[in-house]
Amino acid sequence: MEMYELLKELFPICRSITGEGVRKTLAIISRYVPELKVTEIPSGTQCFDWTIPEEWNIKSAFIRAPDGRIIADFAKNNLHVLSYSIPVEGYFSLEELNQHLYSDESRPGAIPYRTSYYERRWGFCISHNERLSLKAGNYYVKIDSELKNGSLTIADAIIPGEIRKEIFFSCYLCHPSMADDSLSGVVLAARLYEHFKNRKNQHTFRFIFVPETIGAIAYLHKHGKEMKRNTNCGIVLTCLGAEGEFNYKKTRQGKHELDRIMENVLKHSNHKYKIYDFFLPGSDERQYSSPGFALPVGALMHSYYSIPKYHSSEDNLDNVSEKCLQESFDVLRKTAEALDENCKYKTLKPYCEPFLSKYDLCGSVGANVSMQESRKRIMYLLNFSDGYHSLLDIAEKGNFELLNLADTAKLLESKGLLKKMKGDMK
Ligand code: ZN
């Protein structure tokens, strides 16, 4: 699958935390994730301290200026409507209308993205330039929206592995037409699903597609207990499609295996990157890492929240590319594979180094790495595989990429030099 093509198809849909936009999005995702399980949670359901809100849907919205010009047309850009706007129809003076307009002075050409999920109001988002051009007079306003007792839609897909321990990916699908924030994570989740579905995994993989915050809270309300029991770690996917250096936000735990492996992968990639300690606010890692669950969850971003295009009409299809999505995919795939491969070995020749020439190792360690490098990996593995050091420990000691080291360990195992420690995945 080409991720950009999928993103382009999802881009025009008007999503919010509830409603048909989320369902439509999930229906498209299910073409790539056939096992996607969609669950509806009725409005009014209590999830911890939160109540599932009414479901919001919208057909059309616009403002007609006194000169007959249509401004803020929902059909042209769904960002024009304050998400969760109540319906309205009538004439308003410019002064009255101004109470319901949202614009961003710092980005005067962009339509900002604004929401009002939990307070009933109506509003329009327009560029600051457009706002400044509005003249006094009577404006005709119409928002054809509906708030009703419906449901919140969440979805997941699980790929069972050899063990119950899980690695999960979580993305959110509540943003309307923005490309990098939200949607890039959604297409990455679908692509990662496709990859790990076709791989033999030790870990179980879980893919979570939810509206941000309330969706993650509802998901944890339903699945939090089993996740607390089974989770090794999780990664929140967002802002993975725009140009920029990689930014990794560590788990709340800080020195978790995931944090170390992500650093290992980034260090051995050709990309610029920065690593941050866990901080708030951020996205759904806040819910997964809340103290009751305390799941180790990190977040990878290609560019840091696509600043300065974040939450505006400038975060459009030109802001993301297949190249950046692919780079993000490679980092995430390698990280998850390394997590899946990390284990401890024990040497079967602990008394002095084995006589390597006997084992026909040199020709079979891969043509793309220098002999010196592969010999160094072999020496580190034979020395540190004492049953205490994991592949990750050894990779850090010798400055190796963990996945390469895992390949060499398998080779040494096939030659009877190493033995994988049973029942000790970590
Ligand atoms: Zn956002």
Side-chain angles (χ1 to χ4, degrees):
M1 65 179 278
E2 193 175 323
M3 286 178 276
Y4 186 81
E5 283 304 309
L6 174 58
L7 197 148
K8 218 163 92 183
E9 186 179 355
L10 297 172
F11 185 79
I13 301 171
C14 179
R15 280 165 292 268
S16 186
I17 50 171
T18 62
E20 288 308 326
V22 178
R23 295 188 191 106
K24 227 188 212 173
T25 301
L26 288 170
I28 293 171
I29 294 294
S30 70
R31 294 205 307 254
Y32 304 92
V33 186
E35 285 89 354
L36 193 72
K37 200 173 137 231
V38 178
T39 307
E40 299 285 346
I41 302 183
S43 304
T45 306
Q46 194 72 24
C47 297
F48 306 115
D49 207 31
W50 295 60
T51 308
I52 301 301
E54 285 184 304
E55 180 180 326
W56 183 72
N57 285 293
I58 179 163
K59 286 199 187 97
S60 65
F62 65 91
I63 301 171
R64 195 166 61 225
D67 61 4
R69 207 161 46 95
I70 299 291
I71 53 174
D73 189 357
F74 172 80
K76 284 203 176 134
N77 193 325
N78 56 36
L79 290 176
H80 274 310
V81 175
L82 176 76
S83 190
Y84 256 72
S85 275
I86 56 173
V88 63
E89 182 173 12
Y91 284 92
F92 296 87
S93 70
L94 180 57
E95 203 185 341
E96 288 167 324
L97 180 63
N98 253 320
Q99 312 289 315
H100 299 272
L101 292 184
Y102 301 86
S103 64
D104 183 350
E105 223 174 320
S106 67
R107 287 178 293 191
I111 308 163
Y113 165 54
R114 296 284 183 272
T115 65
S116 185
Y117 301 138
Y118 301 104
E119 249 170 83
R120 289 194 156 216
R121 50 163 76 100
W122 62 267
F124 283 89
C125 305
I126 58 171
S127 74
H128 201 66
N129 289 340
E130 176 123 60
R131 185 176 197 164
L132 295 176
S133 77
L134 300 180
K135 306 222 164 34
N138 267 335
Y139 287 78
Y140 176 73
V141 168
K142 185 169 183 187
I143 298 179
D144 186 4
S145 65
E146 179 196 38
L147 278 159
K148 61 168 187 196
N149 256 324
S151 55
L152 172 108
T153 314
I154 57 174
D156 66 0
I158 290 173
I159 306 171
E162 278 170 24
I163 58 170
R164 257 215 322 235
K165 273 277 169 218
E166 287 182 9
I167 297 166
F168 77 81
F169 292 103
S170 179
C171 64
Y172 51 92
L173 32 71
C174 51
H175 287 39
S177 295
M178 280 168 286
D180 193 32
D181 183 13
S182 183
L183 271 192
S184 66
V186 175
V187 300
L188 248 311
R191 178 71 186 92
L192 287 161
Y193 176 88
E194 194 181 63
H195 175 79
F196 285 100
K197 182 72 190 170
N198 294 311
R199 180 182 181 269
K200 198 173 178 318
N201 309 307
Q202 307 238 36
H203 283 79
T204 294
F205 279 80
R206 182 188 290 260
F207 295 81
I208 303 170
F209 298 82
V210 287
E212 198 175 19
T213 310
I214 185 71
I217 290 167
Y219 191 86
L220 280 165
H221 190 251
K222 221 173 149 52
H223 301 283
K225 256 196 194 153
E226 67 192 71
M227 286 180 77
K228 201 172 164 167
R229 201 168 49 234
N230 295 338
T231 298
N232 173 12
C233 59
I235 303 176
V236 167
L237 306 172
T238 186
C239 298
L240 291 159
E243 207 62 63
E245 61 184 13
F246 276 102
N247 287 278
Y248 174 64
K249 172 175 166 181
K250 284 186 185 178
T251 66
R252 186 168 171 270
Q253 286 75 357
K255 283 196 178 95
H256 190 269
E257 184 190 13
L258 168 64
D259 302 315
R260 293 168 60 198
I261 287 182
M262 184 68 83
E263 186 164 2
N264 182 269
V265 170
L266 288 169
K267 195 174 164 185
H268 292 275
S269 74
N270 293 319
H271 304 298
K272 278 194 174 165
Y273 66 93
K274 269 204 193 102
I275 293 179
Y276 299 84
D277 282 335
F278 185 80
F279 62 85
L280 298 162
S283 182
D284 288 333
E285 62 274 17
R286 304 205 311 265
Q287 315 312 330
Y288 298 121
S289 304
S290 58
F293 293 108
L295 305 178
V297 177
L300 182 74
M301 285 157 278
H302 198 312
S303 61
Y304 191 71
Y305 286 115
S306 298
I307 286 168
K309 294 175 177 171
Y310 180 64
H311 278 184
S312 82
S313 56
E314 289 177 354
D315 181 7
N316 55 31
L317 289 170
D318 296 333
N319 190 31
V320 298
S321 67
E322 181 67 20
K323 174 187 149 272
C324 290
L325 291 166
Q326 192 59 47
E327 287 170 358
S328 297
F329 171 71
D330 287 338
V331 171
L332 291 161
R333 172 189 66 79
K334 283 186 180 176
T335 301
E337 286 186 358
L339 278 160
D340 200 46
E341 300 275 318
N342 188 27
C343 63
K344 287 173 187 160
Y345 284 90
K346 203 166 181 170
T347 174
L348 296 172
K349 303 267 180 215
Y351 301 106
C352 302
E353 288 179 343
F355 184 63
L356 288 182
S357 311
K358 270 196 337 208
Y359 298 93
D360 186 28
L361 285 161
C362 304
S364 45
V365 284
N368 58 343
V369 284
S370 71
M371 280 303 296
Q372 237 181 342
E373 172 74 10
S374 62
R375 186 172 283 270
K376 191 176 151 197
R377 284 204 302 256
I378 290 170
M379 288 169 85
Y380 267 80
L381 278 168
L382 290 173
N383 188 294
F384 282 107
S385 293
D386 50 6
Y388 296 103
H389 292 91
S390 67
L391 288 180
L392 176 59
D393 295 329
I394 304 171
E396 286 175 342
K397 280 179 190 298
N399 196 21
F400 304 116
E401 179 161 9
L402 195 153
L403 281 178
N404 289 339
L405 195 67
D407 284 345
T408 309
K410 280 180 201 157
L411 176 71
L412 295 179
E413 190 182 28
S414 75
K415 301 286 180 187
L417 291 170
L418 289 184
K419 186 173 168 255
K420 198 171 180 172
M421 307 270 294
K422 278 264 155 20
D424 181 41
M425 275 296 299
K426 294 299 138 213

